[in-house]
Amino acid sequence: MKMTGGPASMNIKLALIIADATIAFGTLFYTQNLVGRLQQREKDIVQLYASSLEYGASVETINSDFTFVFQNIIARIDFPIILTDQNDKVNYTGAGKGYKNIEYDQKLSDQKLKILLQEKVIELSKQHVPILVKIPDGQVIQKIYYGDSDIIRRLRFYPYLQILFALVFLIIAYTSFSYVKKSEQRNIWVGMSKETAHQLGTPISSLMGWNEMLKMSYSNQDKVLDISDEIGSDLMRLSKITKRFSKIGSKPELIDENPYEIIVSVINYFQRRLPQLGKNVLISIEGDEKQKVKLNVELFEWVIENLIKNALDAIDSKKGQITFKVERINNKIEIDISDNGKGIEHNRRKDIFRPGYSTKRRGWGLGLSLSKRIIEDYHNGKIFVKQSIINAGTTFKIILNTSENIT
């Protein structure tokens, strides 16, 4: 059985990295595109401002209507802007003073304010090429220096924060995945060890019992022969257990088999050994005895044994009942396994097939998980809890394709 992370584990990790990188760089591209559009919008506003100045310079008189338009254009500006003459000297006084959204101490003297604004002109010139204000003959009379608004400055840093968050998420997800994977592998190793011990426990206990009976019955030849047959059955079971574990992790060979007969053979094995297990349980079977199904005998027997053991563990009453019902329905073979045990809570019905989950004090939660894998992965069938009533019993259902329904 292959227990390492394998290609699937690496694929999941690679998918996490690719998804994380896609989100990060997608965000970066989208944000930069948005920043570019906002910058173009602000440039268009500055250009409109420049056009207004050019219009004002081309008329002989600036009337109040123009002043109204001019003030409304300026009112739309929410980013740093400085108006200078053709020699980059700031116009810092007057009704239409040549700067807006420049942070400075209101207590500064005019001289210090001039120095500050000239320094800002140099700073803004590094951000954007100034917009030129020209008169009709093409002569530059003013320049408009502008910078980025607060929202653009924030958006510039946003994608890098997003990438940082994505990297943190990737590290946490990768570390968590690795931890869960390693924890799962440890649980499976422990479970497999216990499952092996459990599988070997029944035939070994039987062999020990048969050995004691041989000692007491050595003079009774018929009894000795009967015990010898049972020892042979247990030895064959040990051989089957070895084959079962060798098949887990590899594709098993499926051939036409009669599930009814296989179930009968497993029932007979358990029925002879139930007294030794301290259980007064009747195991019976009914239904269609002739249908064929593509099966691997060793693995299918393992499923039936796990279901019987699960039912035996669930039965607390002195007289227990486990019933198998085999029938054909619409090109499917359906097998119901019912018991009169303690039942399963409704919200736990899916958990019982999860590796490591068990309601038993000394359980290891691998039997039903292996059964599910054998039926669904290896035999392309289904296994699930059909119904369960607390303190009344549980019915499992197995659905398999008939031999003629296999493509």
Side-chain angles (χ1 to χ4, degrees):
M1 182 176 180
K2 190 175 181 180
M3 303 297 288
T4 59
S9 176
M10 290 302 299
N11 289 340
I12 293 174
K13 293 177 180 178
L14 183 61
L16 277 174
I17 295 173
I18 292 174
D20 193 71
T22 301
I23 293 171
F25 288 105
T27 302
L28 179 62
F29 174 80
Y30 176 79
T31 306
Q32 292 303 314
N33 179 265
L34 184 60
V35 166
R37 293 172 64 182
L38 287 172
Q39 285 180 327
Q40 183 60 46
R41 171 181 170 273
E42 292 180 355
K43 183 179 180 180
D44 291 341
I45 294 174
V46 175
Q47 188 64 60
L48 181 60
Y49 179 27
S51 298
S52 300
L53 293 175
E54 290 175 353
Y55 176 75
S58 67
V59 298
E60 296 180 355
T61 304
I62 303 177
N63 57 37
S64 60
D65 290 335
F66 176 78
T67 302
F68 174 79
V69 173
F70 182 71
Q71 289 176 346
N72 276 274
I73 293 172
I74 294 177
R76 293 180 58 189
I77 298 174
D78 60 354
F79 47 88
I81 186 170
I82 297 178
L83 177 65
T84 71
D85 61 16
Q86 66 270 35
N87 297 317
D88 294 334
K89 298 299 181 182
V90 181
N91 174 21
Y92 68 97
T93 59
K97 63 181 182 179
Y99 58 91
K100 189 176 187 215
N101 300 319
I102 302 296
E103 295 181 2
Y104 65 92
D105 188 350
Q106 298 291 331
K107 297 179 181 179
L108 285 179
S109 64
D110 288 349
Q111 187 62 33
K112 290 184 178 180
L113 180 57
K114 284 182 181 180
I115 296 172
L116 175 65
L117 292 174
Q118 291 300 149
E119 291 175 352
K120 287 290 184 180
V121 167
I122 297 173
E123 182 182 324
L124 295 177
S125 67
K126 295 177 181 179
Q127 296 185 30
H128 299 287
V129 176
I131 302 296
L132 304 180
V133 181
K134 302 177 182 180
I135 58 177
D137 63 4
Q139 180 183 351
V140 176
I141 59 172
Q142 288 177 309
K143 297 179 183 179
I144 303 175
Y145 290 88
Y146 66 101
D148 292 328
S149 62
D150 184 59
I151 188 171
I152 289 180
R153 289 196 298 271
R154 292 185 181 183
L155 282 174
R156 283 188 183 279
F157 290 104
Y158 174 75
Y160 300 105
L161 290 174
Q162 189 79 355
I163 291 174
L164 178 62
F165 293 148
L167 286 174
V168 172
F169 167 77
L170 177 62
I171 292 170
I172 294 174
Y174 188 91
T175 304
S176 301
F177 176 80
S178 298
Y179 175 79
V180 170
K181 195 69 180 178
K182 288 179 182 178
S183 178
E184 184 181 79
Q185 289 175 1
R186 286 195 296 268
N187 290 338
I188 291 176
W189 277 117
V190 172
M192 285 300 293
S193 299
K194 292 184 177 181
E195 177 67 17
T196 304
H198 186 59
Q199 288 284 314
L200 296 174
T202 302
I204 289 175
S205 298
S206 295
L207 287 171
M208 293 173 66
W210 299 133
N211 183 55
E212 292 300 319
M213 292 180 68
L214 277 176
K215 292 178 181 178
M216 294 185 293
S217 307
Y218 67 92
S219 60
N220 187 335
Q221 185 176 1
D222 291 337
K223 186 70 172 178
V224 168
L225 290 175
D226 184 55
I227 293 173
S228 176
D229 289 339
E230 294 301 329
I231 290 175
S233 297
D234 284 322
L235 290 172
M236 287 181 62
R237 177 174 169 79
L238 289 173
S239 177
K240 287 181 179 180
I241 290 171
T242 303
K243 290 180 180 179
R244 288 172 183 173
F245 281 100
S246 68
K247 291 179 185 297
I248 295 296
S250 59
K251 187 176 181 180
E253 180 184 1
L254 304 180
I255 59 176
D256 285 337
E257 296 287 352
N258 187 323
Y260 190 98
E261 294 177 357
I262 295 173
I263 295 172
V264 168
S265 68
V266 176
I267 290 174
N268 290 338
Y269 179 86
F270 271 90
Q271 203 70 63
R272 289 290 302 270
R273 288 154 181 79
L274 285 176
Q276 299 176 38
L277 298 175
K279 293 281 187 178
N280 183 16
V281 178
L282 175 63
I283 308 176
S284 61
I285 183 172
E286 59 186 48
D288 197 325
E289 304 179 16
K290 299 180 180 180
Q291 293 297 325
K292 296 272 187 168
V293 179
K294 290 285 186 182
L295 291 174
N296 179 276
V297 176
E298 287 84 3
L299 293 181
F300 185 70
E301 283 182 339
W302 196 355
V303 172
I304 300 304
E305 289 174 13
N306 282 332
L307 291 171
I308 290 177
K309 290 176 184 177
N310 189 73
L312 290 173
D313 289 332
I315 294 173
D316 293 329
S317 59
K318 293 183 179 180
K319 290 187 178 181
Q321 176 73 41
I322 302 174
T323 304
F324 287 81
K325 183 178 181 180
V326 181
E327 57 184 343
R328 174 171 177 160
I329 301 176
N330 297 328
N331 292 326
K332 303 281 186 181
I333 295 298
E334 298 190 4
I335 304 170
D336 287 353
I337 306 95
S338 303
D339 63 62
N340 61 341
K342 56 187 177 183
I344 304 169
E345 294 179 7
H346 188 271
N347 60 343
R348 298 297 186 188
R349 293 186 184 181
K350 291 185 178 180
D351 290 336
I352 62 173
F353 292 104
R354 178 167 51 84
Y357 179 83
S358 176
T359 57
K360 294 176 284 188
R361 187 180 62 176
R362 299 183 61 186
W364 43 89
L366 206 61
L368 289 178
S369 175
L370 283 170
S371 298
K372 185 176 181 67
R373 181 173 182 179
I374 290 169
I375 294 298
E376 297 188 357
D377 293 355
Y378 295 159
H379 291 84
N380 197 29
K382 293 181 180 179
I383 180 171
F384 54 90
V385 178
K386 180 181 179 181
Q387 68 174 18
S388 186
I389 302 173
I390 299 300
N391 298 323
T394 300
T395 298
F396 285 86
K397 179 179 282 291
I398 298 174
I399 301 177
L400 299 168
N401 294 309
T402 57
S403 293
E404 61 266 28
N405 200 36
I406 300 291
T407 57

